[in-house]
Amino acid sequence: MWKDLGLNLEAHDQLMAVLGRAYKDIYMSQENRPKAMQYLDFVISEVHGLRVKELIDDKQKGNKVFGTFCVYVPEELILAAGGTCVGLCAGAEIGIDEAEKVLPRNTCALIKSFMGFKLAGLCPYIQASDLVVGETTCDGKKKAYEILNDYKETYVMEIPQMKTERDRTLWRGEIIQFKEKVEKLTGRKITAENLKEGIKIANEKRRALQRLSALRKAVPSPISGLDGLLVNQIAFYDDPPRFTRQINALCDELEERVKNGIGVTKNGTPRILVSGSPMAVPNWKIPFIIETSGAIVVAEESCVGERSTRDLVDENGKSLEKMIDAIVDRYFKIDCACFTQNEERTGHIVELAKDFKVNGVVHYSIQFCTPYTVEAYKVEKALQEKGIPFLKIETDYGMEDVGQLKSRIEAFLEMVKR
Amino acid sequence: MWKDLGLNLEAHDQLMAVLGRAYKDIYMSQENRPKAMQYLDFVISEVHGLRVKELIDDKQKGNKVFGTFCVYVPEELILAAGGTCVGLCAGAEIGIDEAEKVLPRNTCALIKSFMGFKLAGLCPYIQASDLVVGETTCDGKKKAYEILNDYKETYVMEIPQMKTERDRTLWRGEIIQFKEKVEKLTGRKITAENLKEGIKIANEKRRALQRLSALRKAVPSPISGLDGLLVNQIAFYDDPPRFTRQINALCDELEERVKNGIGVTKNGTPRILVSGSPMAVPNWKIPFIIETSGAIVVAEESCVGERSTRDLVDENGKSLEKMIDAIVDRYFKIDCACFTQNEERTGHIVELAKDFKVNGVVHYSIQFCTPYTVEAYKVEKALQEKGIPFLKIETDYGMEDVGQLKSRIEAFLEMVKR
């Protein structure tokens, strides 16, 4: 199977060994983890194993796989047509030499990573994908997809940059066109019936993740930020109904913890909101540093986090038309930094900070991620007005700056404790 | 007058002294310049003097000034309402410390420059502007305008990212909305009559610049690349009808030169096309290095160059509606790297290389200018296929890398001469 996928097997084995060690060091060393996290541990151990086999088996039944990098891709339409939506590998410093042959060195780590994974033949998900679905959320991705398309068919959705009625019209057109693309690729018509089912599956997943997020409001939090992030990361890979069941089981366990006042930290542990650029597997750098410095991350204001789960698609639409409108509306609400002005986001961060009773906000941007790096200025201003401590971090996937980041984060935590 | 503008007078005097010296060293040291360049020398000597006074005088008559940074802003509409469109200061390493207080350090030099000029109070044009008109061409500008708006009202036009019928609809809406904004600000209705005049003025300017560009196809070229660039830069500042007359006078002189086989270089001088990011006054770094290394720049494939002058607005429209459609179509053709896919641009560069009989293409991108930096890969591929030598340069406004750039450019020129 692996050979058929065109993977570079030797390098892939090395990668898996490194990933396994990192996971052991970062995840398995945590104390007092919820039992239900065992499922997530299993999924990670099989992230380039059983899950890929499932996709291949599914493809053999005639189903199609859509590889994505962004929360704007409407999973409902893919599910409706019996397809599977998977997040592609983009969270490790892999194939950088290859990536830098086609991309400028000063490109964000996430983009270099997905290009590197593809060029080095190390991502089974992109190999298994029938189509990569990109989007125009940032200059880096928008232009990199043109190059990725030389190696793997990449369909790009245009994301508007403002939220006027004109933009909604553009976005609606993009959704309709994507629906047609999905229908063509899968050979299946999207109907009110199967779309209703697709909407339900995606919403159920979001509801489970919303439930998890709400449980993290408890003081003490019943789950670590690393584990919370992991759940959000695996949401992009796993089979949606199974994942939903497992996360609900996790939430049942966490509810018990909350009821009994059990948490993963002692009283007085600083609670941190991490906000900014997405963190793809295995990018655990910032929460790991925060949580080994005596604090806990209680929420991720990020695409790999509550931005992708906050809003549901309205389920009251009876006709295909109404359902599509509901999808258009749901995705149009996302407050990505690609929009201008994007005051919804700064306002929302302030709200989250209050709701989650955080002691401070760590704004993370991947180096060279212009939208989030520039928007950090407005976020800082909004938080300053409310007296909420703020730390801005800009980093890549390398480990060279870990010591320096740890010092900065420790100093920040000292400050927020006062 | 200067004090009323809120300029930082002392720092502004210093800036003018530096600019004057640089101009003398770079421009006045050139040999065999066309006589008509004296007008351009005069304009530059008065770029923060008489021209600003003209704008202020004009404002006192009730006319409005629109400051811009991009060739997507439809000058025709501004002219129709009796307004003036001026390019804002963005070409020098000025106020960087101030700019870096609000923008990430790794922001492109052009963006840091416009922010720095504003925050340091050194650009009389932005001070004299009634409105700054921005656009969503790149992440850096799009997000920086949100911050600039805290210091100066900034109206942002949304530029689509693809060229579908949907995008044209969005763009048409943006043009109509901008027309309404211009009408509101100027208090003047845009009519078929005054818009016809606006279109004519803008087209006449473009025709003069097209004429100049065509004359540079001659071997030897009758004018240096530095002077050619200067003309394109001043096109953004000067009074359009006067500028058009002066450039036509320059072209008359150059026509004589071409007729008599007179050029600014000896036979066999390598001819270079410079392609990529825009060069605002006084960013003369790359053509200066090229032309003091034994080559000549014969064309600028750039917004400060033929991208902004190549297409005219169709003048056959009789109704306001038709004229607006002609404006929509004209600006929609621009092949900025903000579009995806942007094969029009790569194809056009190959055409230009042939038309201008160039020996090589120097692709210039401002460091951190993602759209052009990434697109350089596709440009290189297209030129490689045609066997046209290509050199990719990424730099900022600093002088630290001049020696290194000179070595690279000299080596490139040795190669293209073979």
Side-chain angles (χ1 to χ4, degrees):
Chain A
M1 175 180 95
W2 298 104
K3 223 168 185 173
D4 288 350
L5 281 177
L7 282 185
N8 177 341
L9 293 184
E10 198 182 328
H12 187 255
D13 282 349
Q14 287 168 10
L15 170 65
M16 287 301 101
V18 173
L19 179 65
R21 272 198 303 278
Y23 192 75
K24 201 173 150 223
D25 292 345
I26 294 172
Y27 275 89
M28 306 310 281
S29 65
Q30 295 180 97
E31 281 170 23
N32 199 14
R33 290 178 84 208
K35 281 211 183 65
M37 285 305 295
Q38 282 175 6
Y39 173 71
L40 286 298
D41 294 340
F42 175 70
V43 172
I44 275 287
S45 73
E46 290 293 344
V47 70
H48 283 200
L50 274 184
R51 181 62 186 138
V52 179
K53 192 170 178 315
E54 283 182 345
L55 294 182
I56 304 286
D57 291 348
D58 220 34
K59 279 161 71 85
Q60 273 159 2
K61 289 182 208 143
N63 296 319
K64 299 293 178 187
V65 176
F66 294 75
T68 67
F69 293 109
C70 178
V71 300
Y72 277 103
V73 180
E75 187 173 5
E76 293 81 358
L77 294 169
I78 294 170
L79 291 167
T84 306
C85 188
V86 284
L88 299 176
C89 309
E93 225 179 6
I94 294 290
I96 299 299
D97 289 349
E98 293 295 312
E100 288 183 353
K101 281 180 196 158
V102 300
L103 289 174
R105 201 157 296 179
N106 51 22
T107 300
C108 102
L110 190 148
I111 296 171
K112 277 205 273 195
S113 179
F114 77 62
M115 192 66 85
F117 264 107
K118 173 63 199 156
L119 298 184
L122 289 171
C123 176
Y125 293 96
I126 197 165
Q127 300 304 111
S129 293
D130 294 287
L131 184 70
V132 170
V133 186
E135 24 48 50
T136 62
T137 42
C138 69
D139 293 339
K141 285 206 274 179
K142 174 167 74 178
K143 301 305 285 182
Y145 291 138
E146 297 174 6
I147 299 171
L148 186 64
N149 189 48
D150 292 346
Y151 300 92
K152 179 90 191 180
E153 191 192 345
T154 304
Y155 175 92
V156 177
M157 297 186 76
E158 183 172 2
I159 313 296
Q161 305 181 73
M162 294 187 179
K163 291 197 172 166
T164 66
E165 206 38 57
R166 278 195 293 282
D167 293 294
R168 192 188 176 282
T169 304
L170 178 85
W171 180 232
R172 194 176 196 285
E174 286 293 319
I175 297 272
I176 303 277
Q177 188 179 300
F178 182 64
K179 171 180 160 284
E180 288 160 6
K181 180 79 186 174
V182 171
E183 288 178 329
K184 204 174 157 200
L185 184 64
T186 59
R188 290 174 196 159
K189 201 88 195 140
I190 294 176
T191 63
E193 207 173 11
N194 60 28
L195 186 53
K196 189 180 174 185
E197 188 57 24
I199 290 172
K200 208 178 138 215
I201 295 171
N203 274 352
E204 287 303 323
K205 179 165 75 169
R206 290 180 194 124
R207 281 193 191 98
L209 291 163
Q210 287 175 357
R211 201 180 149 204
L212 172 64
S213 175
L215 285 160
R216 293 168 71 191
K217 290 182 187 171
V219 182
S221 171
I223 185 169
S224 71
L226 276 166
D227 281 334
L229 172 63
L230 188 69
V231 171
N232 281 306
Q233 288 175 329
I234 289 177
F236 289 89
Y237 292 87
D238 202 10
D239 174 64
R242 179 177 60 208
F243 176 80
T244 302
R245 279 194 307 279
Q246 294 287 347
I247 299 313
N248 277 319
L250 170 67
C251 290
D252 293 342
E253 183 184 349
L254 299 185
E255 254 168 27
E256 276 302 306
R257 286 191 166 201
V258 172
K259 215 181 287 171
N260 300 317
I262 298 171
V264 288
T265 51
K266 315 179 285 213
N267 279 343
T269 301
R271 298 166 63 85
I272 300 296
L273 166 66
V274 173
S275 169
S277 303
M279 295 176 184
V281 171
N283 177 13
W284 302 308
K285 182 170 157 178
I286 296 301
F288 178 69
I289 298 175
I290 294 172
E291 300 203 326
T292 53
S293 301
I296 182 163
V297 177
V298 292
E300 297 79 29
E301 189 280 324
S302 160
C303 296
V304 183
E306 61 90 60
R307 185 173 303 120
S308 75
T309 62
R310 186 192 321 163
D311 302 307
L312 301 178
V313 174
D314 185 275
E315 292 178 15
N316 294 315
K318 298 280 175 257
S319 65
L320 186 61
E321 183 98 351
K322 292 267 183 223
M323 289 179 195
I324 286 181
D325 271 323
I327 291 174
V328 170
D329 287 336
R330 187 264 168 198
Y331 285 88
F332 198 51
K333 272 186 218 153
I334 300 175
D335 58 358
C336 172
C338 67
F339 284 95
T340 187
Q341 304 262 353
N342 193 30
E343 278 158 14
E344 295 96 311
R345 179 171 171 242
T346 41
H348 182 63
I349 294 171
V350 171
E351 266 174 40
L352 284 177
K354 288 183 189 165
D355 282 358
F356 284 81
K357 306 171 205 72
V358 308
N359 301 88
V361 174
V362 172
H363 194 281
Y364 160 76
S365 30
I366 307 178
Q367 201 183 13
F368 311 121
C369 169
T370 306
Y372 284 97
T373 315
V374 181
E375 197 160 280
Y377 173 80
K378 291 274 179 181
V379 175
E380 180 169 18
K381 260 182 107 171
L383 290 169
Q384 239 165 13
E385 276 168 25
K386 304 286 174 187
I388 302 165
F390 171 90
L391 176 68
K392 184 169 73 180
I393 284 177
E394 202 181 323
T395 183
D396 57 17
Y397 294 169
M399 290 300 142
E400 297 78 9
D401 61 350
V402 166
Q404 192 208 359
L405 288 174
K406 195 162 168 60
S407 305
R408 289 184 61 205
I409 286 170
E410 282 172 353
F412 179 66
L413 295 175
E414 274 309 311
M415 197 261 287
V416 306
K417 270 194 233 166
R418 267 182 229 146
Chain B
M1 174 179 96
W2 298 104
K3 226 170 184 171
D4 290 348
L5 282 176
L7 281 185
N8 176 341
L9 292 185
E10 200 183 325
H12 186 256
D13 282 350
Q14 286 168 10
L15 169 66
M16 288 299 101
V18 172
L19 179 66
R21 272 200 302 277
Y23 192 77
K24 200 174 149 222
D25 291 346
I26 295 172
Y27 274 89
M28 306 309 280
S29 64
Q30 296 180 95
E31 281 170 22
N32 200 15
R33 290 177 83 207
K35 280 210 185 64
M37 285 305 295
Q38 282 175 4
Y39 173 71
L40 286 298
D41 294 340
F42 175 71
V43 172
I44 276 285
S45 73
E46 290 293 343
V47 70
H48 284 201
L50 273 184
R51 180 60 185 140
V52 179
K53 192 170 179 314
E54 282 181 345
L55 294 182
I56 305 286
D57 290 349
D58 220 34
K59 278 161 74 86
Q60 273 159 1
K61 287 180 208 144
N63 297 319
K64 300 293 177 189
V65 175
F66 294 74
T68 67
F69 291 108
C70 179
V71 299
Y72 277 103
V73 179
E75 188 173 4
E76 293 81 358
L77 294 169
I78 295 170
L79 291 167
T84 305
C85 189
V86 283
L88 299 177
C89 309
E93 225 177 7
I94 294 290
I96 299 299
D97 289 349
E98 293 296 312
E100 289 182 355
K101 281 181 197 157
V102 299
L103 289 173
R105 202 158 295 177
N106 52 23
T107 299
C108 102
L110 190 147
I111 296 171
K112 277 206 272 194
S113 179
F114 77 62
M115 193 66 85
F117 263 106
K118 174 62 200 156
L119 297 184
L122 288 171
C123 176
Y125 292 97
I126 197 165
Q127 300 305 109
S129 292
D130 295 285
L131 184 70
V132 170
V133 186
E135 21 50 48
T136 63
T137 42
C138 69
D139 293 338
K141 285 205 275 178
K142 176 168 72 179
K143 299 307 285 183
Y145 291 137
E146 297 174 8
I147 300 170
L148 186 65
N149 189 48
D150 292 346
Y151 300 92
K152 179 89 192 181
E153 190 192 346
T154 304
Y155 174 94
V156 177
M157 298 186 77
E158 182 173 2
I159 314 296
Q161 305 181 74
M162 294 188 179
K163 291 196 173 168
T164 66
E165 206 38 58
R166 278 195 294 283
D167 293 294
R168 192 188 176 281
T169 304
L170 177 85
W171 180 232
R172 194 175 196 284
E174 286 294 318
I175 296 272
I176 303 277
Q177 188 179 301
F178 182 64
K179 170 181 163 284
E180 288 160 6
K181 180 79 186 173
V182 171
E183 288 178 330
K184 203 173 156 200
L185 184 64
T186 58
R188 290 174 195 159
K189 201 89 196 137
I190 294 176
T191 62
E193 206 173 11
N194 61 29
L195 186 53
K196 189 179 173 185
E197 188 57 23
I199 291 172
K200 208 179 137 212
I201 294 171
N203 273 351
E204 286 302 321
K205 180 165 75 168
R206 292 181 192 122
R207 282 194 191 98
L209 291 164
Q210 288 175 354
R211 198 180 152 204
L212 172 64
S213 175
L215 285 161
R216 293 168 73 191
K217 291 183 186 170
V219 182
S221 170
I223 185 169
S224 71
L226 276 166
D227 281 334
L229 172 63
L230 187 70
V231 171
N232 280 306
Q233 289 175 329
I234 290 178
F236 289 88
Y237 293 86
D238 201 13
D239 174 66
R242 179 178 60 208
F243 176 79
T244 302
R245 278 195 307 278
Q246 294 287 348
I247 299 312
N248 277 319
L250 171 66
C251 290
D252 293 342
E253 184 184 347
L254 298 186
E255 254 168 28
E256 276 303 305
R257 284 190 168 201
V258 172
K259 213 181 288 173
N260 299 317
I262 297 171
V264 288
T265 50
K266 311 179 287 209
N267 279 344
T269 301
R271 297 165 64 84
I272 299 297
L273 167 66
V274 173
S275 170
S277 303
M279 294 175 184
V281 172
N283 177 12
W284 301 308
K285 183 170 157 177
I286 297 300
F288 178 69
I289 298 175
I290 293 172
E291 299 202 327
T292 53
S293 301
I296 182 164
V297 177
V298 292
E300 296 80 29
E301 190 280 325
S302 161
C303 296
V304 183
E306 60 91 59
R307 184 173 305 118
S308 75
T309 61
R310 186 193 321 164
D311 302 307
L312 301 178
V313 175
D314 185 278
E315 291 179 15
N316 293 317
K318 299 280 177 259
S319 65
L320 185 61
E321 182 99 350
K322 292 265 182 224
M323 288 179 197
I324 286 180
D325 271 324
I327 289 173
V328 171
D329 288 336
R330 188 264 169 198
Y331 286 88
F332 198 50
K333 272 187 219 154
I334 299 174
D335 58 358
C336 172
C338 66
F339 284 95
T340 187
Q341 306 261 354
N342 194 29
E343 278 159 13
E344 296 95 311
R345 180 172 169 241
T346 41
H348 182 62
I349 294 171
V350 171
E351 264 173 41
L352 284 178
K354 286 182 191 167
D355 282 359
F356 284 81
K357 305 173 204 74
V358 308
N359 301 87
V361 173
V362 172
H363 194 281
Y364 160 76
S365 29
I366 307 178
Q367 202 181 11
F368 310 120
C369 170
T370 305
Y372 283 98
T373 314
V374 181
E375 195 160 283
Y377 173 80
K378 291 274 180 181
V379 173
E380 180 169 18
K381 260 181 107 171
L383 290 169
Q384 238 166 15
E385 276 168 26
K386 303 286 174 186
I388 301 165
F390 171 91
L391 176 68
K392 183 169 74 180
I393 284 176
E394 202 180 324
T395 183
D396 58 17
Y397 294 171
M399 290 299 142
E400 297 78 8
D401 61 350
V402 167
Q404 192 208 0
L405 288 174
K406 196 164 166 61
S407 305
R408 288 184 62 205
I409 286 171
E410 282 172 353
F412 179 67
L413 295 175
E414 274 308 312
M415 196 261 288
V416 306
K417 268 195 234 165
R418 266 181 228 145

